Amino acid sequence: MKKQPIYVYYQLENFYQNHRRYVKSRSDSQLTSPKFENQISACKPEDDATGGKPIVPCGLIAWSLFNDTYTLSRNNTPLAVNKKGIVWKSDKEHKFGNRVFPKNFQKGNLTGGATLNPDIPLSEQEDLIVWMRTAALPTFRKLYGKIETDLENGDTIHVTLKKKKLVLSTTSWLGGKNYFLGIVYLTVGGFYFFLALAFTIMYLVKPRLGDPSYLSWNRNPGGR
């Protein structure tokens, strides 16, 4: 049996969210307060819509918001996916304002990704908040939602999706499954462990400080 919650991730490959121009194409101040909605200088080319009105949220990151959808069922019965509570608390409370609403979003000549409900503040648009935390590598997973029902061994899960990858995962006290971070942590930790061991052996074999009686001020107590 798989105990709930079971996390549903979407996975993208060869999508470079870490590209310099892409990462910088956003306005963090605009996301936090309506009084900063005109601070769009860093958002080009998705800074304003027709007529010069600012786009909220502006920038390429928001413009390319992930837009695929999934429908899940278990043993031919619809399986609900809760899309609330999937963001970092710090992001929701401090980086996305509860008085900032989408304006002129996806109203340009070219539509990028998903649209946003103009009647819901950015702090409640959790798909957007997840997407705006950019990935460091071109292949990455982002949290899509949570299945809040236990799954039994032998259950058949049907997923209707387009061409992205979907991942179902549980967590342990160590967190989610991420081989890359685990390898990095073990490699760096192992390197510093052996470095510390080497310095300890060097100190035991050949101490840095020998007999203090050979120091000049000990050999000449009168300073001569």
Side-chain angles (χ1 to χ4, degrees):
M1 175 185 290
K2 299 295 184 182
K3 292 287 188 178
Q4 57 110 357
I6 297 168
Y7 297 96
V8 182
Y9 296 87
Y10 57 86
Q11 179 171 314
L12 299 181
E13 298 177 356
N14 297 320
F15 192 103
Y16 291 84
Q17 273 200 317
N18 58 352
H19 189 282
R20 181 181 61 85
R21 186 177 182 186
Y22 182 89
V23 170
K24 295 177 67 175
S25 183
R26 63 186 294 165
S27 174
D28 289 324
S29 57
Q30 186 202 58
L31 299 173
T32 60
S33 173
K35 67 181 180 181
F36 298 129
E37 72 173 34
N38 290 311
Q39 294 191 8
I40 57 175
S41 59
C43 293
K44 293 184 181 298
E46 290 299 318
D47 51 349
D48 54 31
T50 304
K53 296 180 180 180
I55 297 173
V56 182
C58 67
L60 289 173
I61 304 176
W63 175 79
S64 60
L65 176 61
F66 183 78
N67 63 350
D68 211 354
T69 56
Y70 306 102
T71 302
L72 280 69
S73 62
R74 176 180 62 174
N75 303 327
N76 297 319
T77 301
L79 189 60
V81 177
N82 184 5
K83 296 176 65 64
K84 291 293 185 181
I86 60 174
V87 300
W88 291 22
K89 183 179 179 181
S90 58
D91 286 352
K92 183 173 183 177
E93 294 183 353
H94 303 295
K95 296 184 178 181
F96 293 82
N98 57 14
R99 295 185 296 112
V100 182
F101 294 83
K103 292 182 179 179
N104 306 310
F105 190 68
Q106 304 291 20
K107 296 292 181 65
N109 296 326
L110 183 63
T111 300
T115 58
L116 297 173
N117 189 330
D119 298 321
I120 299 178
L122 296 188
S123 61
E124 299 299 325
Q125 309 252 16
E126 298 200 11
D127 285 337
L128 173 70
I129 298 176
V130 170
W131 181 255
M132 293 290 285
R133 180 170 283 277
T134 53
L137 299 174
T139 297
F140 58 86
R141 296 176 181 177
K142 289 184 180 289
L143 188 56
Y144 180 79
K146 299 180 293 184
I147 298 173
E148 297 179 326
T149 304
D150 294 340
L151 297 181
E152 302 288 344
N153 294 332
D155 281 349
T156 300
I157 307 298
H158 290 277
V159 182
T160 302
L161 68 161
K162 293 183 180 179
K163 54 186 177 182
K164 280 82 174 179
K165 290 186 178 180
L166 185 74
V167 179
L168 302 183
S169 175
T170 56
T171 57
S172 67
W173 64 275
L174 289 173
K177 184 177 180 181
N178 191 322
Y179 290 130
F180 173 77
L181 287 178
I183 293 171
V184 170
Y185 291 154
L186 289 174
T187 301
V188 174
F191 171 76
Y192 283 108
F193 172 78
F194 285 110
L195 196 63
L197 186 62
F199 279 113
T200 302
I201 294 173
M202 289 175 60
Y203 176 77
L204 294 175
V205 173
K206 189 176 181 181
R208 184 177 179 85
L209 184 63
D211 190 347
S213 64
Y214 287 100
L215 296 173
S216 60
W217 51 85
N218 289 332
R219 296 176 63 184
N220 301 295
R224 295 184 297 273

